[in-house]
Amino acid sequence: MAHHIHPIPGILYRETAPIQDDMPKIERRQQPVETLNGTVKEDPSTCPCLRSCTIFLSYTSNLISSGIRETICYLAEHKMVDVLVTTAGGIEEDLIKCLGPVYVGDFNLSGKELYKKGLNRNGNTLMSDDNYVKFDKWIRPVLKQMLLEQNTQGVNWTPSKIIHRLGKEINNPESVYYWAYKNNIPVFSPALTDGAIGDMFYLFSMENPGLKCDIVEDVGKLNNIVLASNSTGIIILGGGVAKHQVCNANSWRDGADYAVFVSTAQEFDGCDSGASPDEAVSWGKIRANAEAVKVFADASIVFPLLVAETFAAHANKTTSNKENK
């Protein structure tokens, strides 16, 4: 597997190569920024586009629910990635795990019997209906405050602003979005209503109508970060809307410079989830001269190993400059 790590110079370290060959690639991320390719409406001291290489991490909700939440949390805590993109489940499952337990079950448990017991199966993990009751109780005051700020301060809520607020309110270091909030890492979730959060919006709005969520502003924010980046590296775990949001945004700069896809999805059915990096090249989402690879593997197994041998192994290089700012 080690040779598969090669296509993200400046992001991942290739174990089989001499360390002196790879250090300049890792150090690229720490090089001073000489030029800016565009402009963004961000605090220039914190905009991720001001890195020499902006790293986008995309992942599906199942990886938070039953896979690699702790690994992603580690990356966010130590500011090793610059932008996160995920689905509604990737947000809510992280927050719910701060409120109630999740149990290990089995892929073959009867759905009918689980339903009778108020247990929801996600892969081989089980979550009680009670956790969603706790989530509803926790999030309602937050939504009420958001509605007040919208009406009195003119706050235009977007998915990324909502996630930022939820990360602040959860106030739990076990949460990915707590660290994204603390480290000002933008988190985009264009399908934020596709899950329990959407249910909470629905229930809240029945009693407190008027709360709005502007997805158009977030599209502009993400695209502008891409346009302003000096170079981009994309790490795509799984597929779906999170994968395409990152890839499509990078088409605005004629493609990402580095890309690693980790997925078990196949290309034969024509879906974007299984599409290869070379297909993305044809759309201008990855540059023709980019270093890119697709690893056909279970991300919940592979990604922690990649992080251990790359980001974590070179933590002093990937975090020192950021933590000194």
Side-chain angles (χ1 to χ4, degrees), residues 203-217:
L203 293 172
F204 175 80
S205 296
M206 290 176 67
E207 300 176 359
N208 307 273
L211 183 62
K212 299 178 181 178
C213 180
D214 185 351
I215 63 173
V216 176
E217 182 180 318

Side-chain angles (χ1 to χ4, degrees), residues 99-121:
L99 304 173
V102 176
Y103 303 99
V104 176
D106 189 274
F107 284 94
N108 297 315
L109 291 175
S110 167
K112 180 179 179 179
E113 294 303 315
L114 291 175
Y115 181 78
K116 291 179 181 178
K117 297 177 181 179
L119 294 173
N120 305 276
R121 183 173 67 83

Side-chain angles (χ1 to χ4, degrees), residues 154-186:
V155 176
N156 186 48
W157 292 104
T158 67
S160 65
K161 291 177 186 177
I162 292 172
I163 296 164
H164 187 79
R165 171 58 67 85
L166 296 178
K168 175 183 178 182
E169 298 295 340
I170 198 66
N171 194 29
N172 188 323
E174 294 181 0
S175 167
V176 172
Y177 308 109
Y178 166 80
W179 287 111
Y181 157 74
K182 291 280 287 186
N183 293 327
N184 202 33
I185 298 171

Side-chain angles (χ1 to χ4, degrees), residues 185-246:
I185 298 171
V187 184
F188 296 95
S189 184
L192 186 62
T193 58
D194 183 28
I197 290 183
D199 296 336
M200 298 303 110
F201 289 159
Y202 170 67
L203 293 172
F204 175 80
S205 296
M206 290 176 67
E207 300 176 359
N208 307 273
L211 183 62
K212 299 178 181 178
C213 180
D214 185 351
I215 63 173
V216 176
E217 182 180 318
D218 258 8
V219 171
K221 181 177 180 179
L222 176 60
N223 289 350
N224 285 336
I225 290 174
V226 169
L227 284 169
S229 296
N230 293 274
S231 66
T232 61
I234 61 176
I235 304 173
I236 309 293
L237 308 180
V241 65
K243 173 186 178 182
H244 189 259
Q245 190 80 4
V246 170

Side-chain angles (χ1 to χ4, degrees), residues 254-256 278 281 284 286-291:
D254 295 324
D278 191 60
V281 171
I286 296 176
R287 298 194 174 196
N289 62 347
E291 296 186 60

